[in-house]
Amino acid sequence: MTATTADSNFTTAAPTRFEVEANKVVNRALVTISATLSVLGTTLIIGTFVAWKDYRSISRRILVYISIADFFVATSNLFGVWRHSAQSDIVCETQSFVSTCASLWSFFWTTFLAVFLYTIVAKKKRHKAEIMLKVFHVFGWGIPLIIVGTALGLDKLGNDKDYFTSGWCWIKWNLTTEDKHLWMLLTGKAWEIAAYILCSAFYLMLTIYIRREVCYQHNQVSSQQSRENALLKVERRLTLVPVIFVLVRIWGTIRFILYLSDRDNPNTSWEKVLLYFQGIGDSSQGFFNFLLFCLFTEKFQTRLRLAAHNLLLHCNKEKSVTDKYEDMCNTQEILVD
């Protein structure tokens, strides 16, 4: 029996259990919660960038590009998990195109953010980094569109019977083994694994540079203490970036590796757990970016407190005007009576 035939038998016998698991209320609820939080987080990242002028740095602009991609990932995953289709159709293929393309956008721009920060902070080459940003627009948006557009044109996108996803469409399940492996790598997994490695490498080098700066500042006069503390905070946050990125995306990668290595026995109970974790992780990148780059930063917290203070003052002012108006009306009523 050839590998292709064996895989064909596998795909006709096994998908029911994965589909049943992916379409359970538990999985749909988990994906809905994580995707909704991600949509909210990405919207706030984009909204604060537009509303607050002091937030419009180049690194924040790159974060907005990542957020645009993560917004489409979350919404398309949310749509796909609630719109179950037994076969590939135009809606399934469209959802696959959007989610796959957006995922690649997210991988590309997340990697470039690491390269950009390293070039500016460690290498101190801002002008070079800004030129790289212009060039990367072609790669960051264009290459994913070409890859996924080619996959769509060659009829490779569609219903995967939830072998490799958590309820949404991706690569058609009834392709040959070689086709599936090739297009799963080209439309996601190869770029995802490359993003793990590159992001971890650049953030590690950046963290090492900052650690050296901290040691240098520590040996200087005490007036540098505040700068040293600031560098330590930046270092801790940068350390979390690749860790969180890998943690939210790794579950789908593990399922992909398991599929490649053990096609004859895919339906184990712990692979169903991986399906749930993939549903949460693949849909929640935007939310974690919001926590890491916005909510947990002092600048955002300061602006939030200031906005809350101004809102409170405005409400008190409105209340004061309303009270004066009511007193005047009461006085007029007394005079009329």
Side-chain angles (χ1 to χ4, degrees):
M1 182 181 292
T2 64
T4 302
T5 306
D7 192 68
S8 177
N9 291 337
F10 163 73
T11 54
T12 54
T16 304
R17 297 177 67 177
F18 281 115
E19 283 187 296
V20 168
E21 206 68 35
N23 289 301
K24 283 183 178 179
V25 175
V26 174
N27 183 62
R28 286 180 168 179
L30 291 173
V31 173
T32 299
I33 293 170
S34 59
T36 302
L37 289 174
S38 196
V39 168
L40 180 62
T42 54
T43 303
L44 287 171
I45 290 173
I46 297 169
T48 53
F49 181 84
V50 173
W52 298 343
K53 291 183 179 180
D54 57 336
Y55 252 54
R56 297 175 190 174
S57 63
I58 298 178
S59 58
R60 288 279 170 185
R61 194 188 314 161
I62 297 173
L63 182 61
V64 167
Y65 300 152
I66 298 171
S67 299
I68 292 171
D70 290 335
F71 176 87
F72 283 110
V73 170
T75 52
S76 58
N77 286 356
L78 182 60
F79 174 82
V81 81
W82 283 101
R83 196 253 177 200
H84 172 65
S85 175
Q87 299 296 329
S88 298
D89 55 19
I90 186 63
V91 177
C92 175
E93 291 175 5
T94 302
Q95 178 265 297
S96 176
F97 177 86
V98 173
S99 61
T100 306
C101 197
S103 293
L104 292 184
W105 286 341
S106 182
F107 298 154
F108 276 56
W109 282 106
T110 299
T111 303
F112 184 70
L113 179 60
V115 176
F116 181 83
L117 291 175
Y118 177 77
T119 305
I120 285 184
V121 177
K123 294 299 183 180
K124 295 181 170 34
K125 296 181 179 179
R126 172 171 285 274
H127 181 66
K128 181 180 179 181
E130 291 175 356
I131 293 175
M132 288 167 58
L133 176 60
K134 295 177 182 178
V135 175
F136 200 79
H137 274 285
V138 178
F139 293 96
W141 303 114
I143 291 178
L145 282 171
I146 292 172
I147 293 172
V148 184
T150 302
L152 180 64
L154 295 176
D155 199 28
K156 307 300 181 183
L157 303 182
N159 192 338
D160 67 349
K161 297 293 183 180
D162 302 322
Y163 284 129
F164 330 113
T165 63
S166 297
W168 49 86
C169 297
W170 184 26
I171 300 298
K172 281 186 175 178
W173 67 279
N174 55 354
L175 301 177
T176 63
T177 303
E178 294 77 12
D179 250 8
K180 272 188 286 192
H181 292 175
L182 174 64
W183 287 104
M184 286 169 69
L185 286 168
L186 285 177
T187 61
K189 295 308 172 185
W191 303 104
E192 186 176 52
I193 294 169
Y196 295 158
I197 297 169
L198 290 173
C199 285
S200 299
F202 276 102
Y203 280 116
L204 177 61
M205 291 188 292
L206 188 54
T207 301
I208 292 172
Y209 169 81
I210 293 175
R211 171 55 61 178
R212 289 175 179 171
E213 284 288 299
V214 169
C215 293
Y216 174 78
Q217 296 294 337
H218 184 71
N219 294 328
Q220 303 303 305
V221 294
S222 58
S223 60
Q224 300 293 331
Q225 186 66 37
S226 59
R227 176 174 169 77
E228 180 182 340
N229 292 335
L231 287 171
L232 284 171
K233 289 180 181 179
V234 171
E235 180 194 5
R236 285 193 291 269
R237 189 175 300 118
L238 289 175
T239 303
L240 287 173
V241 172
V243 173
I244 290 177
F245 176 64
V246 172
L247 281 178
V248 299
R249 301 292 314 195
I250 195 65
W251 313 109
T253 306
I254 294 174
R255 289 187 70 199
F256 170 69
I257 294 171
L258 289 173
Y259 168 69
L260 293 181
S261 61
D262 188 20
R263 296 200 316 272
D264 296 327
N265 185 29
N267 289 317
T268 58
S269 57
W270 53 276
E271 278 199 53
K272 295 178 182 179
V273 175
L274 288 176
L275 183 146
Y276 289 141
F277 277 117
Q278 183 184 2
I280 298 170
D282 283 10
S283 307
S284 62
Q285 182 70 51
F287 175 65
F288 283 104
N289 282 344
F290 168 72
L291 294 180
L292 194 59
F293 292 107
C294 284
L295 190 62
F296 293 157
T297 62
E298 289 187 7
K299 191 173 185 179
F300 182 86
Q301 292 172 4
T302 301
R303 290 301 301 261
L304 203 61
R305 284 194 294 267
L306 181 62
H309 178 70
N310 291 338
L311 180 63
L312 187 61
L313 287 178
H314 179 74
C315 290
N316 289 337
K317 185 177 179 181
E318 291 258 338
K319 185 175 183 300
S320 177
V321 171
T322 303
D323 290 343
K324 288 181 180 179
Y325 177 76
E326 288 178 352
D327 290 342
M328 183 179 67
C329 290
N330 291 335
T331 303
Q332 289 177 346
E333 288 177 1
I334 292 172
L335 289 174
V336 169
D337 290 344

